[in-house]
Amino acid sequence: MQAATTAMMAQTKDLELVIRHVLAGLGHGIHAGRERGAGVEFSEYRAYAPGDEWRRVDWKLLARADRYFVREAERDSHVAVWLVLDATASMSEPSREINGIDKLWFARTVLACVAAIAQRQGDAFGLLILSDGKVEFTPASRGPRQLQRVLAAMAKAEPLGQLPSAETLRASLHFARAPSMIFAASDFLDWPSPLSEAVLRLRAMRHDVRLLTLRTQAEVDATFKSGAGYRDPERDDGLHRMSNADREHYKQQSRAHFDGVVASCRQNNIVHYEARIEQPLGGVLRSWLQLAGARAK
Amino acid sequence: MIVSSYPWWWLALPVLLLPIWWHRQKRQRLKAEPLATARFLPSAPPAQLRVWQWRDKVLLLVRCLLLVALIAWLAATIFPLRGDTVLVDAGADKAWADQQIAAAGFGAASRIDLPPAALQWLRANERDWRPDARFLLIARADQIAMPARVPQFSHQVELRTQSAAHNEPSSDRAAREQQIAVAAPEARGAAWRSLFAAFDVAGGASIHYALNAEPNARTSLIIWDQANVAPPAGWRAPNWWIATAPTAFPELAAATVMTINGIALKYADTPRGRLWTSDAFPPRDAATARALYEAWQLLSSATPSPGYAMPPQTFATARSTLPAITDAKPATWLALVLLALFILERTLTHARRN
């Protein structure tokens, strides 16, 4: 049932539809905002844009001016939310159980939900896509248009190449002056890597860093087809074999690696959540955010 | 030993590396699936992953053979495969020829017809024979002209000619009197007699034609005009004119056709002599008779035996290199092999794809 829902969600190109589906009943926010609701202190009117909530439309002004205006409130959430999407070649790893979903799809959808939550809370949010050795940077901003921009950028991301070099990534971290929350979704198969260095650096600068490690069920259980040869999409180190005798070795190696990741995160007080992409998306999102909330207390 | 007319084509052999390289590449690529966590698996040498190796090997072999055949075809390669050969003059006495062949030790050799200008033909074509092959030429005494220089062959060539004693006197040594034997029914015999009476007068009466009922040793021409009757076995003459339907002469089925002076003539060489037949035998009017006379005069000077005939002798191997090949044509069977290999290659590729 869950698998069918996930497979169905993977079929749609409309990220907003998926967000609405996932966020239905997921009422709580990312962080404890100082203000609740939209527009406590009136600041200005703004022309209505698709995506604005109907209850923020000033109906009296509509009667007078025959145009839709939205009451813009003074928001003083100082927290910016940064979404980091890993779109390297290894993120194209598909689920071997549910047709049509892969790690990039899962990461993109989870981050889109986070963006939607941030937008509803009135937070500024920006996006970094790490793909093919480059960083695609969308500056942080507020509002429904920003959400459209971010969703469009994420929908365009293709799993290509490797992570950007440490220098490139460091040059893209100029946003880190203001206090912010960083949500990074990746497979974290490289650790240490330029991304892990950047994450640790941000944490050292007292940003709130939350990592989502994505794996597949087949990776956890080591249930790959044996007898075939495999190659790493990001490394050119020849072929690897998978025989029944290698399963235990594989499990050991991957467990050791991810234990290392978890230890490193705990040591630096970074929120880390490991999910399999076959799990229901809403549940993963909730658990990830709850984990963050628990740490924030 | 293989001979190529355009040996530079063999420099294209490195093209064979292409299919070999493709096959290696393909095998490695086909068998590897991308897997993000492949780094946690032990690495494997690519050789262990080639499961379908045998099928690819067959295809690779066929492709390489195809390329080699193509290059060999382009290089017009000649494969000297033919062994000992006897070239037999169709006009030579068959019994005598068999005896000569057996005496020369060519009993098991293959036989082909003696081509015109046999020595030149042999010189140009002996590249088709194995280096250790021998030739035996069996011919009448006056069939092969003596060349100005001793011909150089890369094989041993033996020439045996039927001595003139066994043969009828040839026309160029004929006396001024020509002996003609006419075997014809009475009504047609008159026509033939009047024709040769006219021949007597023609050409300044230089040659007298004597008509007999039966051939003798000096008969140069036999006129055979008796329908459905085979001539007696002992009759021989350098030339025969066959005026009836040639049922008694099966050799005429493969006769050569020539038209001289408006008269269509067919001739074939047999042990009995050269047989001629034409629709103009016997001529029905003076104009045809005149045309026939002129044609016969032309023929007797155009197809004479050579002035100096080659005596029987043996040529030892005299040259080591073959002459430059000017009109090289690639072997037909090589083209067929090429086609077959191509079909095989397409079939195998198709089978592998599905």
Side-chain angles (χ1 to χ4, degrees):
Chain A
M1 176 64 197
Q2 278 298 348
T5 314
T6 310
M8 209 153 64
M9 283 200 293
Q11 291 303 314
T12 177
K13 295 268 170 260
D14 189 355
L15 267 177
E16 271 184 281
L17 193 66
V18 178
I19 292 167
R20 226 179 276 182
H21 177 82
V22 174
L23 293 192
L26 200 77
H28 54 76
I30 303 174
H31 62 95
R34 255 178 273 170
E35 302 173 18
R36 298 181 190 284
V40 174
E41 195 171 333
F42 172 76
S43 147
E44 60 178 349
Y45 284 114
R46 177 172 65 72
Y48 169 81
D52 283 336
E53 289 172 56
W54 281 111
R55 60 197 169 96
R56 291 176 57 201
V57 171
D58 192 316
W59 299 106
K60 287 183 183 167
L61 196 56
L62 168 67
R64 275 209 300 276
D66 207 15
R67 286 210 175 86
Y68 292 113
F69 285 99
V70 174
R71 294 168 63 90
E72 197 69 69
E74 189 71 55
R75 313 295 298 268
D76 63 6
S77 165
H78 299 293
V79 180
V81 173
W82 287 97
L83 311 169
V84 181
L85 176 64
D86 176 6
T88 55
S90 63
M91 289 295 280
S92 63
E93 175 72 11
S95 162
R96 315 258 161 177
E97 282 153 35
I98 300 175
N99 238 355
I101 68 170
D102 54 27
K103 286 184 180 176
L104 181 64
W105 173 83
F106 197 93
R108 171 196 289 155
T109 313
V110 166
L111 289 183
C113 291
V114 174
I117 294 170
Q119 191 259 322
R120 286 185 190 180
Q121 292 199 152
D123 292 331
F125 54 99
L127 174 69
L128 277 88
I129 297 176
L130 316 180
S131 178
D132 204 11
K134 294 191 288 281
V135 179
E136 197 187 323
F137 182 75
T138 308
S141 178
R142 292 189 174 80
R145 277 162 195 263
Q146 171 71 0
L147 183 62
Q148 305 291 345
R149 266 197 293 275
V150 166
L151 294 189
M154 284 205 274
K156 264 196 314 195
E158 296 274 345
L160 281 178
Q162 303 190 347
L163 283 175
S165 66
E167 289 77 32
T168 317
L169 203 51
R170 202 178 303 134
S172 312
L173 293 184
H174 51 79
F175 62 81
R177 285 183 299 262
S180 50
M181 304 176 71
I182 289 122
F183 289 84
S186 170
D187 49 11
F188 291 113
L189 284 173
D190 288 310
W191 191 288
S193 68
L195 179 58
S196 79
E197 277 174 33
V199 161
L200 294 181
R201 169 188 291 263
L202 287 167
R203 182 62 202 142
M205 294 163 77
R206 311 223 156 265
H207 295 289
D208 186 357
V209 178
R210 303 162 184 214
L211 306 185
L212 178 65
T213 297
L214 296 175
R215 305 181 66 190
T216 67
Q217 192 66 48
E219 282 175 4
V220 174
D221 303 341
T223 52
F224 301 110
K225 196 166 41 128
S226 63
Y230 293 103
R231 65 181 165 79
D232 195 311
E234 289 186 26
R235 296 182 186 181
D236 197 14
D237 58 351
L239 292 172
H240 301 266
R241 74 186 140 87
M242 179 77 184
S243 61
N244 288 329
D246 294 324
R247 288 191 202 286
E248 216 39 57
H249 177 252
Y250 172 87
K251 275 189 195 171
Q252 251 172 28
Q253 291 265 311
S254 65
R255 198 61 265 162
H257 172 78
F258 286 110
D259 284 349
V261 174
V262 169
S264 176
C265 289
R266 189 172 300 138
Q267 194 185 345
N268 292 285
N269 205 8
I270 292 174
V271 174
H272 174 263
Y273 184 71
E274 185 181 304
R276 298 182 301 280
I277 61 174
E278 285 85 358
Q279 288 177 304
L281 225 152
V284 170
L285 184 62
R286 189 180 296 121
S287 307
W288 191 24
L289 297 180
Q290 273 173 357
L291 202 59
R295 195 197 61 89
K297 274 172 197 160
Chain B
M1 201 185 83
I2 295 174
V3 186
S4 289
S5 312
Y6 309 105
W8 290 104
W9 273 108
W10 289 106
L11 290 181
L13 270 184
V15 173
L16 286 181
L17 292 175
L18 270 178
I20 293 170
W21 187 63
W22 286 339
H23 277 244
R24 290 197 62 83
Q25 281 288 99
K26 214 179 277 174
R27 258 181 249 144
Q28 283 187 5
R29 256 188 229 150
L30 269 182
K31 298 303 159 198
E33 288 174 36
L35 178 69
T37 49
R39 65 192 68 182
F40 300 136
L41 288 170
S43 67
Q48 294 188 355
L49 300 164
R50 284 183 235 138
V51 181
W52 296 104
Q53 198 177 17
W54 59 271
R55 181 187 275 177
D56 273 9
K57 265 187 179 168
V58 171
L59 185 60
L60 178 64
L61 186 72
V62 168
R63 283 181 172 162
C64 289
L65 279 178
L66 181 71
L67 283 178
V68 169
L70 179 67
I71 291 171
W73 189 70
L74 287 173
T77 302
I78 292 150
F79 300 89
L81 295 175
R82 305 175 78 165
D84 292 357
T85 304
V86 185
L87 284 80
V88 191
D89 177 12
D93 186 1
K94 198 154 166 42
W96 175 81
D98 285 342
Q99 180 215 330
Q100 292 298 318
I101 290 167
F106 277 72
S110 60
R111 300 184 185 191
I112 57 175
D113 282 340
L114 188 72
L119 293 179
Q120 286 84 341
W121 181 87
L122 200 57
R123 215 176 122 73
N125 288 287
E126 66 177 332
R127 59 176 186 238
D128 289 348
W129 274 265
R130 284 201 301 265
D132 59 339
R134 294 174 305 153
F135 292 100
L136 177 64
L137 273 66
I138 300 287
R140 283 169 291 175
D142 50 357
Q143 274 310 99
I144 298 177
M146 176 137 60
R149 277 182 285 175
V150 179
Q152 311 275 303
F153 293 108
S154 45
H155 298 84
Q156 187 197 323
V157 178
E158 188 178 352
L159 171 65
R160 296 198 177 201
T161 54
Q162 199 168 9
S163 64
H166 292 113
N167 214 345
E168 277 67 33
S170 54
S171 55
D172 77 324
R173 277 187 273 132
R176 294 179 59 88
E177 184 174 79
Q178 295 269 344
Q179 297 286 334
I180 314 276
V182 180
E186 193 48 43
R188 314 246 313 195
W192 286 112
R193 271 192 292 280
S194 58
L195 175 74
F196 283 103
F199 276 24
D200 268 349
V201 189
S206 56
I207 300 172
H208 174 65
Y209 294 88
L211 302 191
N212 316 68
E214 297 219 341
N216 55 28
R218 290 180 53 226
T219 300
S220 61
L221 177 66
I222 296 177
I223 310 290
W224 189 258
D225 199 359
Q226 292 189 335
N228 301 324
V229 182
W235 285 27
R236 292 206 182 195
N239 293 294
W240 291 60
W241 285 8
I242 316 293
T244 58
T247 48
F249 301 90
E251 299 94 337
L252 279 174
T256 313
V257 180
M258 62 197 300
T259 303
I260 294 178
N261 234 356
I263 295 183
L265 289 163
K266 292 200 280 187
Y267 71 92
D269 281 325
T270 69
R272 279 193 287 237
R274 187 169 283 180
L275 307 182
W276 298 85
T277 186
S278 169
D279 293 336
F281 290 161
R284 281 165 194 82
D285 50 43
T288 316
R290 183 180 179 78
L292 180 64
Y293 175 77
E294 283 172 1
W296 191 241
Q297 290 303 110
L298 281 171
L299 277 174
S300 56
S301 59
T303 57
S305 48
Y308 297 95
M310 189 76 141
Q313 57 182 297
T314 302
F315 305 97
T317 306
R319 60 175 180 180
S320 53
T321 53
L322 290 166
I325 300 163
T326 49
D327 56 341
K329 270 176 285 185
T332 322
W333 63 266
L334 203 56
L336 290 177
V337 166
L338 204 59
L339 186 67
L341 280 172
F342 181 70
I343 292 171
L344 201 61
E345 192 267 343
R346 285 291 89 198
T347 313
L348 280 176
T349 311
H350 187 71
R352 194 187 55 159
R353 213 178 284 145
N354 295 334

